């Protein structure tokens, strides 16, 4: 959980330090923005190849290596005096995070019985969401009162705590023998359906969310100070949504995913239709926030069930596709903005999210044919075939 919190804070911290970084490094704000865009694109492109290359390495060794990379890259970033050195350090962190999300899920849930694994996924997602609610605001506050390098260096300290804990306490075993190495119900069709729905949902969400500040100011008429408060409300809604969904995930895994995406669609389309009214804008903004975190969490949980092969490869594919959706959504919103203003970005995002719902509802379960002779053991001692 601490590692998830640290990686998510590292990814998003430049958003709160844009002006400080711009002045300190003598580059434009848009160039600083590339520190976030480049990070996301790196995760999107490298998640699956890295997971494939490292598939045979014991997970304890992989995680300690990834956290060591986080510590080193954070220290290099904190000491950077040029933009390009900071960008290189950020890309190293992104490479570590690309593999972290693929490995972390199966390792964590494999330590628990299958019937409570949804709660474990929920706990990890709560930690990731806390990065946006606590980590980035705290880092922004600290950076403005000292220097932007201070909160970046703090990430190295948090990463070191995670590294030592995992290196000392996590059991070492071959990846293919871990309890959650394979999906509980391999289903190639379901895997493809969830992957497409998650990517469409991410594209839709970030087509609008990337420009939410402009929407709240120009369409809803909120002052800059009120917009800051609404960002906090959005983050708290995201945290609440993840917490509630995590508690229900073991009992209603499919319904949780469909509900999260449907709620996101309602929130985005509601902002388009009624966003000019202040009260309605707050209501639909909170709805969107309450869905944004659970969408990724529920797709990750689905991968642990329907992965047609190794779960780490499935999770890497899901993380890569989701980050590709984020990048595509931000770019799409940027194209729409001058043509149809901020409301147009939310209409487009809402329609894409509705398409994600349709993909989910149209998908039919299809059990993957299992290769003969491949078997794994459930926690109660029974064996079953696995792909």
């Amino acid at each position: 959980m601490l590692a998830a919190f640290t990686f998510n804070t590292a990814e998003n911290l430049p958003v709160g330090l844009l002006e400080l970084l711009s002045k300190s490094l003598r580059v434009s704000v848009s160039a600083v923005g590339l520190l976030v865009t480049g990070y996301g694109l790196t995760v999107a492109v490298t998640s699956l190849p890295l997971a494939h290359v490292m598939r045979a390495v014991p997970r304890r060794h992989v995680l300690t290596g990834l956290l060591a990379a986080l510590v080193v890259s954070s220290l290099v970033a904190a000491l950077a005096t040029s933009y390009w050195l900071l960008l290189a350090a950020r890309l190293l962190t992104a490479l570590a995070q690309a593999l972290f999300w693929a490995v972390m899920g199966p390792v964590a849930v494999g330590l628990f019985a299958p019937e409570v694994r949804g709660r474990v996924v929920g706990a990890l997602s709560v930690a990731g969401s806390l990065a946006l609610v606590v980590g980035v605001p705290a880092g922004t506050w600290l950076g403005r009162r000292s220097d932007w390098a201070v909160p970046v260096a703090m990430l190295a300290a948090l990463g070191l705590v995670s590294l030592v804990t995992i290196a000392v306490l996590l059991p070492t075993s071959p990846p293919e023998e871990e309890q959650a190495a394979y999906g509980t119900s391999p289903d190639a069709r379901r895997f493809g359906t969830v992957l497409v729905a998650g990517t469409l949902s991410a594209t839709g969400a970030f087509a609008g969310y990337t420009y939410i500040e402009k929407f709240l100011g120009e369409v809803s008429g909120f002052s800059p100070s009120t917009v800051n408060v609404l960002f906090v409300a959005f983050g708290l809604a995201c945290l609440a949504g993840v917490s509630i969904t995590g508690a229900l995930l073991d009992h209603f895994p499919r319904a949780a995913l469909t509900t999260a995406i449907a709620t996101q669609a309602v929130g985005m389309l509601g902002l388009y239709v009624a966003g000019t009214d202040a009260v309605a804008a707050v209501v639909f903004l909170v709805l969107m926030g309450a869905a944004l975190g659970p969408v990724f969490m529920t797709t990750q949980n689905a991968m642990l069930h329907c992965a047609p092969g190794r779960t780490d490869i499935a999770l890497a594919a899901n993380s890569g596709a989701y980050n590709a959706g984020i990048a595509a959504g931000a770019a799409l919103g940027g194209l729409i903005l001058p043509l149809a203003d901020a409301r147009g970005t939310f209409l487009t995002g809402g329609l894409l999210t509705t398409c994600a719902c349709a993909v989910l509802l149209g998908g039919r379960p299809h059990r993957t044919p299992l290769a003969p002779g491949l078997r794994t053991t459930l926690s109660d001692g029974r064996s079953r075939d696995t792909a």
Side-chain angles (χ1 to χ4, degrees), residues 111-136:
L111 299 172
F112 295 84
E115 59 268 19
V116 297
R117 288 178 179 174
R119 286 161 56 190
V120 179
V121 174
L124 294 170
S125 297
V126 166
S129 298
L130 280 172
L132 298 177
V133 180
V134 177
V136 174

Side-chain angles (χ1 to χ4, degrees), residues 188-229:
R189 186 176 297 173
R190 176 68 177 171
F191 168 77
T193 297
V194 171
L195 203 62
V196 171
T199 306
L200 282 172
S201 175
T203 305
F206 284 86
Y209 178 68
T210 305
Y211 307 97
I212 185 65
E213 183 176 9
K214 190 174 183 67
F215 182 96
L216 293 174
E218 295 182 1
V219 178
S220 302
F222 291 110
S223 66
S225 59
T226 304
V227 170
N228 290 336
V229 173

Side-chain angles (χ1 to χ4, degrees), residues 15 41 46 53 63 71 103 114 120 142 214 232 247 249 265 282 320 329 333 345 364 382:
V15 173
L41 288 174
T46 62
V53 169
L63 284 172
V71 171
V103 173
V120 179
L142 185 60
K214 190 174 183 67
V232 175
L249 204 49
V282 171
T345 66
R364 296 180 182 275
R382 293 179 291 112

Side-chain angles (χ1 to χ4, degrees), residues 9-149:
T9 301
E11 179 177 7
N12 294 285
L13 186 58
V15 173
L17 301 174
L18 284 176
E19 295 293 341
L20 289 175
L21 287 165
S22 175
K23 292 178 182 177
S24 175
L25 301 175
R26 297 182 177 86
V27 295
S28 66
V29 171
S30 60
V32 177
L34 288 175
L35 296 175
V36 178
T37 305
Y39 193 109
L41 288 174
T42 301
V43 173
V45 171
T46 62
S47 290
L48 193 55
L50 285 175
H52 182 74
V53 169
M54 303 298 290
R55 67 189 182 282
V57 182
R59 305 292 86 171
R60 182 170 71 92
H61 299 160
V62 173
L63 284 172
T64 52
L66 296 178
L67 288 164
L70 171 63
V71 171
V72 171
S73 61
S74 297
L75 289 175
V76 171
L79 297 172
T81 55
S82 73
Y83 172 80
W84 296 109
L85 182 58
L86 178 59
L87 178 60
R90 290 275 299 168
L91 294 182
L92 176 58
T93 308
L95 286 172
Q97 181 164 332
L99 186 55
F100 173 79
W101 288 117
V103 173
M104 173 266 298
V107 169
V109 302
L111 299 172
F112 295 84
E115 59 268 19
V116 297
R117 288 178 179 174
R119 286 161 56 190
V120 179
V121 174
L124 294 170
S125 297
V126 166
S129 298
L130 280 172
L132 298 177
V133 180
V134 177
V136 174
T140 302
W141 177 86
L142 185 60
R144 288 175 178 172
R145 281 156 182 76
S146 51
D147 183 79
W148 65 263

